Structure formats: C-alpha cells, structure tokens
Amino acid sequence: MLSAVLAIVGGCFLAVLLSLPFVVVSYRRRGELGFGRIVLAVGFVIYALAIATYTLLPLPQINDTWCVQHAAFASPQLNLMQFLADIRHEQRGTSVSAYLHNPAVQQTVFNIFLFVPLGMFLKGFFGRGAASTITIGFGVSLLVEFTQLTGNWFLFPCPYRLFDVDDLITNTLGTAVGVAFAPLLRPLAGHVPTAPPTAPRPVTAWRRLLGMLLDMISVYVVGGFLFGTVNVVIIYVFGGAGIQQSWWTTALVLWVPMFFFLVLPSFGKDGATVGQRAVRLARVRRDGRPAGARVVIALLTGSTGYFLCTGLASVAPVFNWFAFLLVLGAFVLVWPRRHRGLSGLVSGLSIVDSRDHRATGCTADRPATDRHETRTP
C-alpha cells in the first residue's frame, strides 16, 4: 500500500515537473498534444515510480546482525525455471483454488503482470518496435535485479532482496504480453497527425489555458527550487537560521523566475511567454505586425500582473483581489471565438499559432496559393 501511495503522489508531482518539456517535445514532434497523451504520460510516470518503489521498499532495519541472518540474499538464484519447483513445493491440492492460493504461483503471475504495462507503454505510447520493447523490458528487469543484488548499488551493507534469474524470464514475458495488448492504448494515444508538425493548428481556449498553466508551473517550480537552494546554503554553509520572510524573498521566489519565464521571452519575435511558446502560440497586433511595446500591457494584465500582485499582497491585501480578478478575467475571456483573454483585449493583441506565417506579418514573400496550403482543415 505504501509503495502504491508513494507512486501515485510522487508520480503526479513528477508529472507536473516534467509538464513543460513534455509539451514542448510533443508540439515539436507531432505539432499537437491531445488529452489522451497527457493521461498516458502521467500514467507512465506513475508506473515508472511504482516499479522503483516496488524495487526499493519496504526498507528493513539493516545492520551487521541482519546481514548475517539473511546471508542467502548475497548469492543470486541462477537456476532456470526454479519457480516451477517452488510451485510444486508450495502446492496444496489440485483444484483451481489451490493453485490461486499458491504463494509461488501468485509471485510468478505478479512478476509477469508487473511488466505488462511497460510493454504497452513502450509499444503503444512511445512507438517502439516489438523486438526493441522486449529488449528494453529485459534491460529494465536486469537493472531491478542488480539493484537488489547490490543493496541498492552499495548504499546498504548487504542486499535485502534476492536476485532471481526467473524474475528476468517472467518480467520479459510480461513485457512481451504488453506488446500484444498495446493496441488497447490506441484510443488514448491519439491518431497519427494528418498535418506535419510545422503546419499551424487552430487556436483553442484549452490550448490558451494550457499555456497559462505552464507559465504558472514554471514560475512556482523554479521559485521553489531557488528558495530551497538558497535556504540550504544559508543554513548548512553559513550556519544561518534560514530565509526570513521579506521583500527579497518574494523577489526570489516569484519575481526572478517571472522575469526569466514570462517577461524576457515576451520581448522576442513571437511576443510570447515560455508557456505560450511551448504550445506554439504568438502575440501579434490585429494586422499581423509584431506585438512591440503593447506586450508590456499584455504582461501587466496577464500572468506577470498576477505574480506582481501576489508578491505585493504582503504590503497591501487589496492586491490579492487584483490577482484574483486577473485570473478570473483570463479564464472567462479566453472562451470567446478569438480566445484573446483579458490581456489580449486590453492590449489590442491577438493570439495566433506561431507557425501561421500569415498571422505574423510574413505574407509579403509568400504566394497566395502557398499561404492557403499551410492552413489545417
């Protein structure tokens, strides 16, 4: 139960940390994302952590006495098909129920089913071939067994689980079974894109909201990392009492990452934040020209304004209301047909696909027929 809880909680947390690079890679390789692929990506991260927690947990109280009492773990089990002898030894009766209650049968079936999802993910989500998937499954199983044989790569004085060659067989078999069931993931994995990755896609409200969410995650994650790093240095290097709440704490946690992820990128060619760039969006004027100085207004009435108000709330609580209104306005006003959001309406800027050259003021050198063909039906 503990392993499952840690896998789910840790997997969701890790999925949030990896959300930005995942979206960036997906949009560059496929030209789009898709809700089903998000579900599969989160599921794969949780599954990977489940394998890790099953390999490492529970941790016993390991000392010299424990190592002597469990010296058998130091020698790998290298007899092929030993699990068949174990099943015969543990069998009590000939009924189906007796086999289902046989501990050796249960362990063998568990080892097979444990790696079925790996085969499904590698084949159905990552698009690996059958032979490549099975080889990777064998490699992952071998990594797990060596981790157990070496006491988590010599972090412990002795191993506390057994290296079993039969586990390699059953895990690899489970991966092969997963290859056969990989087509079940097809509805979630999504269709093969009909347009190349460089072709523009329609701008939707969900795509706009995803860009905003990525901006929020980037700022909070990097801000938390900076806070933790500085805190550790102050406590363990300089012997201080840790960071005390002050204006520069707010600047470190919110405004520094805000500047690098929201403000600085917005003065580039696309006039877009990191989150908007991840989902291939750009800010332009209504006639297609670059955003220019209007991007400042868009920032102040968008995510940047939200983080500024959040940081200033310790000075005057009324800024909390301003921050709330900015979030509410962004969420409500992103749904109309043009999906401009509050910042777009106030600044007079439009949100377009950054791959759509017609919308970024680059139409002069492109023939009309070529421009028409770049649209996605």
Side-chain angles (χ1 to χ4, degrees):
M1 179 61 71
L2 176 61
S3 297
V5 172
L6 290 177
I8 293 173
V9 175
C12 291
F13 178 73
L14 188 58
V16 170
L17 294 181
L18 298 176
S19 59
L20 180 62
F22 171 75
V23 172
V24 170
V25 171
S26 183
Y27 266 92
R28 270 59 185 175
R29 289 184 176 179
R30 293 172 51 87
E32 56 193 36
L33 186 58
F35 177 75
R37 294 186 65 82
I38 296 176
V39 173
L40 288 179
V42 174
F44 177 75
V45 173
I46 293 176
Y47 170 73
L49 282 183
I51 293 289
T53 55
Y54 168 74
T55 302
L56 303 176
L57 300 177
L59 296 174
Q61 295 292 329
I62 300 179
N63 50 37
D64 293 339
T65 302
W66 193 96
C67 290
V68 172
Q69 294 174 346
H70 299 81
F73 288 149
S75 301
Q77 196 294 105
L78 300 178
N79 296 325
L80 290 175
M81 302 300 177
Q82 177 64 35
F83 70 92
L84 296 177
D86 294 338
I87 290 174
R88 288 194 298 269
H89 180 266
E90 297 288 344
Q91 188 63 30
R92 302 292 184 269
T94 58
S95 65
V96 174
S97 176
Y99 277 101
L100 293 178
H101 286 85
N102 187 319
V105 171
Q106 293 174 351
Q107 183 63 40
T108 300
V109 172
F110 175 78
N111 285 335
I112 293 174
F113 275 91
L114 182 64
F115 272 62
V116 169
L118 180 62
M120 295 178 67
F121 278 119
L122 291 176
K123 175 67 175 174
F125 182 50
F126 292 100
R128 309 292 301 190
S132 174
T133 296
I134 294 173
T135 301
I136 293 173
F138 175 81
V140 172
S141 179
L142 189 63
L143 176 63
V144 168
E145 296 303 315
F146 271 112
T147 299
Q148 296 176 161
L149 178 64
T150 57
N152 296 352
W153 299 100
F154 310 106
L155 291 176
F156 294 94
C158 61
Y160 58 92
R161 290 196 176 181
L162 180 66
F163 179 110
D164 192 336
V165 68
D166 285 344
D167 288 352
L168 292 175
I169 298 173
T170 52
N171 291 160
T172 305
L173 176 60
T175 306
V177 173
V179 171
F181 284 98
L184 295 177
L185 298 183
R186 193 168 297 159
L188 284 176
H191 64 279
V192 177
T194 56
T198 54
R201 268 66 166 180
V203 177
T204 64
W206 288 112
R207 190 169 160 195
R208 290 277 285 114
L209 290 173
L210 178 59
M212 297 179 198
L213 179 62
L214 292 174
D215 282 333
M216 295 284 186
I217 291 174
S218 301
V219 172
Y220 280 122
V221 168
V222 174
F225 174 78
L226 290 176
F227 178 82
T229 301
V230 173
N231 218 21
V232 167
V233 171
I234 291 175
I235 295 174
Y236 293 100
V237 177
F238 297 101
I243 297 178
Q244 304 299 318
Q245 182 64 38
S246 63
W247 66 269
W248 72 270
T249 307
T250 299
L252 178 69
V253 174
L254 292 179
W255 295 343
V256 170
M258 175 195 75
F259 176 78
F260 284 102
F261 283 92
L262 305 183
V263 178
L264 193 60
S266 295
F267 287 95
K269 176 184 176 182
D270 291 335
T273 64
V274 165
Q276 291 171 331
R277 290 171 183 266
V279 294
R280 305 301 292 264
L281 295 177
R283 289 191 186 106
V284 297
R285 302 192 185 201
R286 300 185 69 176
D287 58 3
R289 290 183 298 146
R294 293 189 185 183
V295 78
V296 175
I297 302 174
L299 288 170
L300 293 176
T301 53
S303 300
T304 301
Y306 165 80
F307 285 113
L308 287 174
C309 291
T310 301
L312 292 172
S314 59
V315 178
V318 69
F319 282 106
N320 272 327
W321 286 102
F322 289 141
F324 172 76
L325 291 175
L326 287 176
V327 172
L328 181 63
F331 182 81
V332 172
L333 296 176
V334 78
W335 293 100
R337 185 173 60 88
R338 295 179 63 85
H339 310 299
R340 299 173 69 186
L342 176 63
S343 62
L345 289 173
V346 175
S347 64
L349 298 177
S350 296
I351 301 295
V352 299
D353 191 302
S354 61
R355 296 162 291 191
D356 191 343
H357 296 286
R358 291 170 304 169
T360 55
C362 302
T363 62
D365 299 327
R366 296 170 58 84
T369 54
D370 183 40
R371 293 200 305 271
H372 177 73
E373 292 172 355
T374 60
R375 273 206 183 274
T376 303

